[in-house]
């Protein structure tokens, strides 16, 4: 009997050594330790043993049971660890993989234009100020000396919020705010959105952008205005650019002028886009600040004088980037915007 158990043991241990997965291990456990297993069989057959032999065989069987159970336990935990490590290895995050690309945006071409304009004027000693897009009728029209019956005041031209409040039709009211809140000398520019009751076409939009400039000091003359505009145009478009001042009317300046610049397409030689004139028309409006406007803001016109100018930023961006349709600036089509 003892030899039989010893043989069983060596077979079992040999089998154990070859087990390399949990299913086989469980089959092994059932085969030897299960209800109908080899060891149980031996225990059941003990009835045929002698009185002396029984406890001895029982002891050996129990020892073998303990040995096999310990082995199974160890192999089980080894296999489980192996399985866990393999799983971890497969799930390991490869931190050397390149990350997901983040879609970075960039400045809108209009904002790029405004920044460029601001930089030119900052270099000329101007300060940048801001004004609200929702304005009073007083600042937008009255204080700017705009006549009571001026067509631009009409409901069909201007977005009114109440009788006294509107969406500013130009950036000129920033002049009024600046002069009312500060004492001369003043040298400011201000860029931002402006609104008019316009139908949309290739060059018009009910929302557009302007940049306003204002200089107030003693002894400021038209010569200062012309020089400033000249410098600005050359700085922005290049040395070869010429300016042409045409007399015009604005209620808030006297005298007033509109400024044309050399056609950017042909640099003044004459081409199809400038109708062979060599000039790009109406890039900006300007003039000497009207004495009445100074008075409206508490500045004595006998002591101070100044000039002002206003230019269309969208127009400049379109000329600069060769854009032929203003709608493109406001549609937020990434295919268009990513070109700049
Ligand atoms: N505000 C005028 C407009 O929107 C532009 C303008 C003209 C501004 C002459 C000025 C100026 O400051 O002096 O058409």
């Amino acid at each position: 009997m003892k030899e039989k158990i010893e043989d069983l043991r060596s077979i079992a241990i040999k089998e154990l050594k070859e087990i390399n997965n949990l299913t086989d291990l469980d089959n092994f456990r059932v085969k030897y330790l299960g209800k109908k297993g080899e060891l149980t069989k031996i225990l059941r057959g003990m009835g045929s043993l002698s009185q002396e032999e029984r406890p001895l065989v029982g002891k050996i069987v129990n020892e073998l049971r303990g040995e096999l159970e310990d082995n199974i336990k160890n192999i089980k935990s080894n296999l489980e660890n192996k399985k866990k490590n393999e799983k971890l290895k497969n799930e390991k995050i490869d931190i050397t993989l390149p990350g997901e690309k983040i879609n970075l945006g960039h400045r809108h071409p209009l904002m790029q234009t405004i920044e460029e304009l601001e930089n030119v004027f900052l270099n000329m000693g101007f300060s940048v100020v801001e004004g609200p897009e929702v304005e009073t009728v007083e600042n937008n029209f009255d204080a700017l000396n705009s006549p009571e019956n001026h067509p631009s005041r009409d409901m069909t031209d201007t977005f009114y919020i109440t009788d006294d409040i509107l969406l500013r039709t130009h950036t000129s009211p920033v002049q009024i705010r600046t002069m009312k809140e500060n004492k001369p000398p003043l040298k400011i520019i201000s860029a931002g959105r402006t609104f008019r009751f316009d139908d949309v076409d290739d060059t018009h939009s009910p929302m557009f952008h302007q940049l306003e400039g204002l200089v107030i000091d003693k002894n400021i003359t038209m010569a200062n205005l012309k020089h400033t505009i000249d410098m600005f145009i050359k700085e922005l478009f290049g040395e070869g650019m010429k300016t042409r001042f045409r007399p015009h009317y604005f209620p808030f300046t006297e005298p007033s002028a509109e400024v044309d610049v050399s056609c950017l397409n042909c640099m003044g030689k004459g081409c199809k886009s400038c109708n062979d004139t060599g000039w790009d028309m109406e890039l900006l409006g300007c003039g000497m600040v009207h004495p009445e406007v100074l008075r409206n803001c508490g500045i004595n016109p006998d002591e101070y004088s100044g000039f002002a100018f206003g230019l269309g930023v969208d127009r400049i961006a379109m000329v600069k980037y060769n854009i032929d349709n203003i709608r493109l600036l406001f549609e937020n089509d990434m295919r268009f915007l990513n070109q700049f």
Side-chain angles (χ1 to χ4, degrees):
M1 195 68 185
K2 253 173 98 179
E3 285 96 69
K4 203 178 154 202
I5 296 174
E6 196 47 52
D7 287 348
L8 192 66
R9 179 179 175 274
S10 37
I11 293 169
I13 295 294
K14 203 169 145 221
E15 268 180 41
L16 262 181
K17 285 205 179 117
E18 273 155 27
I19 286 180
N20 59 8
N21 67 68
L22 289 166
T23 322
D24 286 354
L25 187 67
D26 202 51
N27 289 341
F28 175 89
R29 184 187 56 78
V30 173
K31 181 174 168 193
Y32 289 95
L33 308 176
K35 267 188 207 149
K36 292 174 187 160
E38 297 295 335
L39 292 191
T40 320
K41 267 190 216 157
I42 294 174
L43 290 175
R44 288 232 175 96
M46 284 212 323
S48 60
L49 295 177
S50 67
Q51 200 73 351
E52 300 85 58
E53 260 187 322
R54 243 182 257 167
L56 266 171
V57 171
K59 196 172 160 239
I60 308 173
V61 171
N62 276 334
E63 273 169 10
L64 180 55
R65 170 187 290 276
E67 187 185 352
L68 292 184
E69 275 173 353
D70 286 350
N71 271 310
I72 289 175
K73 214 167 113 192
N74 287 341
I75 294 174
K76 194 174 174 199
S77 89
N78 281 346
L79 284 175
E80 275 171 354
N81 270 342
K82 210 169 122 197
K83 206 171 156 188
K84 198 164 95 188
N85 285 338
E86 253 161 36
K87 201 172 162 213
L88 280 178
K89 211 165 114 195
N90 289 337
E91 283 177 2
K92 205 164 92 181
I93 298 167
D94 183 356
I95 54 168
T96 62
L97 270 180
E100 225 169 85
K101 204 173 149 210
I102 297 171
N103 238 341
L104 270 191
H106 62 85
R107 306 295 267 170
H108 190 281
L110 261 178
M111 293 307 124
Q112 289 180 33
T113 306
I114 288 180
E115 269 171 28
E116 197 177 329
L117 294 173
E118 285 178 346
N119 277 335
V120 172
F121 283 108
L122 281 168
N123 285 336
M124 290 163 84
F126 284 75
S127 318
V128 176
V129 304
E130 280 189 56
E133 290 165 10
V134 179
E135 259 295 1
T136 60
V137 171
E138 159 77 19
N139 285 345
N140 193 83
F141 289 127
D142 298 331
L144 283 163
N145 204 31
S146 141
E148 203 66 57
N149 56 357
H150 196 277
S152 67
R153 288 186 178 240
D154 211 275
M155 291 277 285
T156 56
D157 280 314
T158 298
F159 294 107
Y160 284 90
I161 288 169
T162 66
D163 283 350
D164 308 318
I165 308 284
L166 44 65
L167 295 184
R168 65 178 177 186
T169 61
H170 49 180
T171 43
S172 300
V174 182
Q175 289 186 37
I176 302 300
R177 288 177 175 270
T178 306
M179 287 190 280
K180 279 188 171 165
E181 285 160 24
N182 304 277
K183 288 203 160 26
L186 302 168
K187 202 172 172 186
I188 59 101
I189 53 159
S190 184
R193 287 198 185 91
T194 47
F195 307 85
R196 281 180 206 177
F197 212 112
D198 274 335
D199 285 332
V200 180
D201 63 25
D202 286 359
T203 53
H204 290 85
S205 153
M207 190 275 289
F208 54 106
H209 298 75
Q210 286 192 339
L211 183 139
E212 192 81 14
L214 174 73
V215 172
I216 306 282
D217 204 345
K218 288 175 178 158
N219 305 315
I220 298 290
T221 69
M222 189 98 184
N224 300 122
L225 166 62
K226 282 196 75 176
H227 181 66
T228 305
I229 300 296
D230 260 4
M231 293 247 299
F232 156 67
I233 294 295
K234 289 199 161 80
E235 197 62 45
L236 191 67
F237 294 118
E239 271 302 315
M241 294 296 283
K242 291 201 181 77
T243 53
R244 177 172 81 173
F245 288 66
R246 271 183 299 104
H248 198 76
Y249 169 77
F250 295 108
F252 34 90
T253 42
E254 183 61 35
S256 307
E258 265 187 347
V259 180
D260 307 330
V261 301
S262 314
C263 171
L264 276 164
N265 198 36
C266 61
M267 291 310 273
K269 286 194 201 79
C271 67
K272 222 176 106 194
S273 93
C274 61
N275 284 330
D276 275 327
T277 60
W279 295 100
D280 237 320
M281 305 294 277
E282 296 170 32
L283 209 65
L284 60 96
C286 62
M288 301 306 293
V289 179
H290 198 291
E292 197 56 31
V293 173
L294 292 175
R295 247 176 252 122
N296 288 341
C297 300
I299 294 174
N300 180 358
D302 295 326
E303 195 181 349
Y304 287 102
S305 58
F307 65 81
F309 55 89
L311 52 97
V313 176
D314 316 82
R315 194 50 216 298
I316 294 206
M318 288 170 76
V319 172
K320 228 177 117 50
Y321 294 115
N322 210 359
I323 299 165
D324 57 5
N325 191 331
I326 198 172
R327 295 177 181 92
L328 289 166
L329 290 174
F330 305 123
E331 276 173 350
N332 278 341
D333 185 334
M334 294 303 280
R335 289 169 304 180
F336 168 74
L337 292 176
N338 279 337
Q339 299 176 76
F340 304 98

